[in-house]
Amino acid sequence: METLGNLESFVRAAEASSFSEAARRMGVSAAAVSKNVARLEANLGTRLFHRSTRSLTLTEAGELFYQQVAEGLETIQGAINQIGEAREVPAGRLRVNLSPSLAYDYVLPLLKTFKQRYPAVVPDWHLEIRRVDLIGEGFDVAIGGGMELSPGVVARELAKLHLVAVAAPSWLEGKPLPTTPSELQGVDGIVMRSTNSGRLLNWTLRDSGEGRFDLNLKPAAIMNDPEALCSCAVMGLGIALLPLDRAWPRLQRGELIRLLPDWYVDLGVVSVYYSSKKSLPAKTRVFIDFLLEHFQKSLCQHFRAD
């Protein structure tokens, strides 16, 4: 298999009828071009040029070889140039995996601004609740929490993810607001079932200091989806421990009230996941930077309770 350098040296020398002119066009030395051509001739077992002190012309074999490879070389170099442009110019389809709730409330509202900045990038978003094989399934980016870092994948933190205790005004009516976690122990609640283990989840509340409290609610309803948990809490079926990002819009609308504002559950972080390869396409690189910019500026406060 001939190297691209050998073939390009031959084609450029044939076009210029000069090793020195070919070298000037390629940005290398004339000696390097001559050496590449000599190596090509040795590998092919035939002379491609007639050489003299005054001229450089193709042999019959060289003329035939030139006709066969010149167009192919231009095609290959064009493809290389396009790859280079893809690394530098944000363009093409951007495949992103994220949950519907995260998309609707936080990421999709940013899409118009992103498209105004990078109109040649085509968002191809997959909204679903599952852990994906980012590289195996061909995603450029995944957004979420708790993904395992498989080989070849890295993560950048977007925000801390906290659970907070909430209840609907209708459920709180006639009841005193709790002031300590112990007052919620055994209270009717909407409890989350793990989709992985099938077990009911219990949480450890913490405060900004060293305080810790293992809270167990009396199940009034059991759900395995955070959105369903939110809906049940809004209906007044009991208190719930909700991801703050899910509770935030409902807290702003007054549909829910946060209990124990100094306490929360540390659930880890929300991250953007992508390939660890050094040369990311520009479309992926600018999207990651765009997410980090907006989360650090304002969105992270919707996820963390401390």
Side-chain angles (χ1 to χ4, degrees), residues 63-297:
E63 183 66 45
L64 179 61
F65 188 65
Y66 173 79
Q67 292 173 2
Q68 292 174 329
V69 303
E71 185 176 346
L73 178 66
E74 297 302 328
T75 301
I76 292 170
Q77 289 187 320
I80 292 172
N81 290 338
Q82 285 185 346
I83 291 294
E85 290 173 0
R87 288 200 306 266
E88 300 302 326
V89 179
R93 185 173 298 182
L94 182 71
R95 299 189 75 236
V96 179
N97 178 275
L98 70 168
S99 71
S101 56
L102 184 62
Y104 293 142
D105 288 336
Y106 297 103
V107 186
L108 272 174
L110 304 176
L111 187 56
K112 183 176 181 179
T113 301
F114 180 77
K115 283 288 290 181
Q116 288 171 339
R117 286 192 197 178
Y118 308 107
V121 177
V122 179
D124 181 1
W125 289 13
H126 297 244
L127 277 56
E128 50 192 342
I129 303 176
R130 69 182 181 93
R131 293 181 179 178
V132 299
D133 179 356
L134 188 141
I135 294 177
E137 296 182 48
F139 286 105
D140 297 295
V141 168
I143 308 169
M147 282 182 60
E148 293 183 7
L149 289 182
S150 56
V153 175
V154 296
R156 296 280 300 277
E157 181 180 318
L158 295 174
K160 304 292 185 186
L161 182 58
H162 295 158
L163 301 181
V164 294
V166 300
S170 61
W171 188 86
L172 288 167
E173 189 173 355
K175 300 183 181 73
L177 283 175
T179 57
T180 64
S182 60
E183 295 175 58
L184 297 182
Q185 192 75 294
V187 171
D188 286 347
I190 305 102
V191 180
M192 186 78 172
R193 183 186 298 279
S194 169
T195 55
N196 294 325
S197 67
R199 294 187 301 226
L200 300 187
L201 297 176
N202 296 314
W203 304 109
T204 298
L205 290 166
R206 60 186 295 175
D207 61 13
S208 57
E210 298 298 320
R212 299 290 185 274
F213 187 85
D214 294 329
L215 179 63
N216 293 286
L217 299 173
K218 176 184 176 183
I222 301 169
M223 300 289 150
N224 71 342
D225 176 75
E227 276 301 303
L229 212 68
C230 286
S231 297
C232 290
V234 170
M235 285 188 285
L237 299 185
I239 70 168
L241 288 165
L242 299 180
L244 182 55
D245 65 297
R246 298 289 87 236
W248 183 273
R250 296 164 175 85
L251 292 169
Q252 301 306 300
R253 294 193 297 264
E255 296 172 352
L256 292 173
I257 294 173
R258 183 177 173 185
L259 311 176
L260 306 174
D262 295 330
W263 293 81
Y264 62 91
V265 176
D266 186 352
L267 206 60
V269 298
V270 177
S271 299
V272 53
Y273 300 86
Y274 56 95
S275 170
S276 61
K277 62 185 179 183
K278 293 182 180 179
S279 299
L280 282 176
K283 63 179 181 180
T284 307
R285 188 174 64 251
V286 298
F287 182 67
I288 293 167
D289 291 343
F290 180 83
L291 284 177
L292 290 168
E293 171 192 345
H294 283 273
F295 269 83
Q296 291 169 359
K297 184 184 299 182

Side-chain angles (χ1 to χ4, degrees), residues 9 13 18-38 51 56:
S9 293
S18 167
F19 286 152
S20 58
E21 177 60 21
R24 188 188 66 80
R25 295 179 185 179
M26 294 174 63
V28 298
S29 69
V33 172
S34 178
K35 190 174 183 178
N36 285 345
V37 171
R51 297 165 173 83
L56 182 72

